Amino acid sequence: MARSRPTLHIASETPSESSSSSSPERAGYDDTDFFMAQANDSQSSIGVSTFREMTVSPSMEREHRLSPVSHLPPELLIAIFSKVGSTMDLKNCMLVSKTWARNSVDLLWHRPLCNDWKHLLNVVASVRKTDGFFAYYDLVKRLNLSQIHEQISDGTVQPFIHCKRIERLTLTNCKRLTDSGVSALIKGNRSLLALDISFLESVTDHTLLTVADNCVRLQGLNITGCFKVTDDSLVPVSENCRHVKRLKLNECSQVTDQAILAFAHNCPSMLEIDLHGCKLITGPSVTALISRGRHLRELRLGHCSLVTDQAFLDLPSNVTYESLRILDLTACDQLTDAALDRIISVAPRLRNLVLAKCRLITDRAVQSITKLGKNLHYAHLGHCQQITDNAVIQLVRLCNRIRYIDLACCHRLTDASVQQLATLPKLRRIGLVKCQAITDRSIHALAKAKLGPHGQIVGTSSLERVHLSYCVHLTLQGIHDLLNQCPRLTHLSLTGVQSFLREDLTAFCREAPPEFNDHQREVFCVFSGVGVNKLRNFLNQESLQYDTEGTMYDDADLEEEVDEHQVAGMMHATGLGGDDDEMDDNEVGEGSQDDVEQDG
């Protein structure tokens, strides 16, 4: 007689008594973390263990012999269940039979929902069960506790230390965690593919050494803000975790060339590396990362101020790096035109190029950038104050697929540059903060309908975000035209533009950031989302009212210009007068590719 099998618990409302009632919902936020936003080269091995360990007993075969679906192999059943979009439908599938339960439970449990304390308690209750039909601790493949980071401590994660098949562990901002809690989760886990412990300020080399000793399959590591981590642990990680493809070391201020050179030599599959704020990094590290990283797609060196031209001039001659698509050199202020010339020659397929605050570059560097042609989609040249109209006009003519361009604080630019930029057919975002020479002529050009090669109208403006703060010569009439001709516009910043510092208009602005002082609040003027629509509707209604009464604007209002000395004094009073002020960075923003902006 075949051996009897455990009875499948029927679903009930008590979490601890059901294999399905506490099964976690699918969490949308799990698919938006740093590693999941990338290409699927490290997919979760959902169902693999089930394929190897599951067998169908003769008794079960006889039990379901009348049902053709019972003859389907586990692999096919899991593939079918994976197409079921509703969590409730998956729960119902579990109740059909033991075979269905075995093949659908992975889909419910590989990514448990832990977005609030109640859900976490339900998950913990099931993970702790020793008499359940399933070993839930072995089913968890992705664990994300970042949504309740304020409540997570070393004690909170103790129930998960038996989950040794976790492949993606996200603990972003769980600042109460220490080496003790994180190391306990990692120790003994040979399946971990991606680890995000960003902004865990208490984490030290101890945790990273635990990673080196256990996580030989690791492909993604994010330790942004873990400023206590040093080369002493990162070198062993590079030596033992040779499959690392994505590495974020932002603000790890103690990291030096020793660690970066180790990753360059030991991790040949590196795709992305972010060294923003690693101020001890010098040229040899950059040269090694590019020359040895033949698959490298993204390199971020923001504020690595020790990097010089030599980092790029030392690259091998007659070799190109076709994979490199994103290069961020924000505030690498020792770089000159020579570096840009070399960069473009070795990375001819760059798509995103960030040169904000590289103050030494001139029109010659922009001339080199034009060689990227149609490959260039994103250009950030904010604070490159030596750039002139001639360079921008040439850039637009040769790189006509640009979607985003930032020229904040390029004070030599005039309407001629913006009128040429307005011809870009796919332009979505433009930053012109403190380009004080531009006038309404630029705004009317941006609002003008796009024309095809034969002069025909090919569509409305594609602009979505426009940054015009401290462009002091702009008037209400020009912005009104922009609003009406750009239906996709969702963001408009006009901080410090005198024409808009009216109570009836600022009523549609979003709130100023809480850290702003009184002076900054007085000149803050940023419209986002519904605020843009409300501003457009208000101006249209006001226009109709004035049209019935006469001229909407007095000639004196149209011709009035704001005294530049007065505006400069206002900017100085707000603490925003310098080129390096925090407001500019926030207004210009977006140089970090994440599309999340805090305008100021």
Side-chain angles (χ1 to χ4, degrees), residues 13 15 20 42 75 119 158 181 195 217 345 377 391 414 463 532:
E13 296 183 359
S20 61
S42 55
E75 295 92 333
H119 284 104
Q158 281 303 305
L195 175 64
R217 298 177 59 200
S345 66
H377 290 180
T414 69
L463 279 174
V532 175

Side-chain angles (χ1 to χ4, degrees), residues 200 209 229 246 394:
L200 271 63
L209 289 172
V229 173
R246 298 182 174 90
Q394 192 70 5

Side-chain angles (χ1 to χ4, degrees), residues 1-3 5 55-65 71:
M1 178 180 295
R3 184 176 60 183
R5 303 182 65 84
T55 57
V56 180
S57 68
S59 62
M60 291 182 65
E61 188 68 30
R62 287 192 299 272
E63 177 185 349
H64 300 293
R65 63 181 179 273
H71 296 286

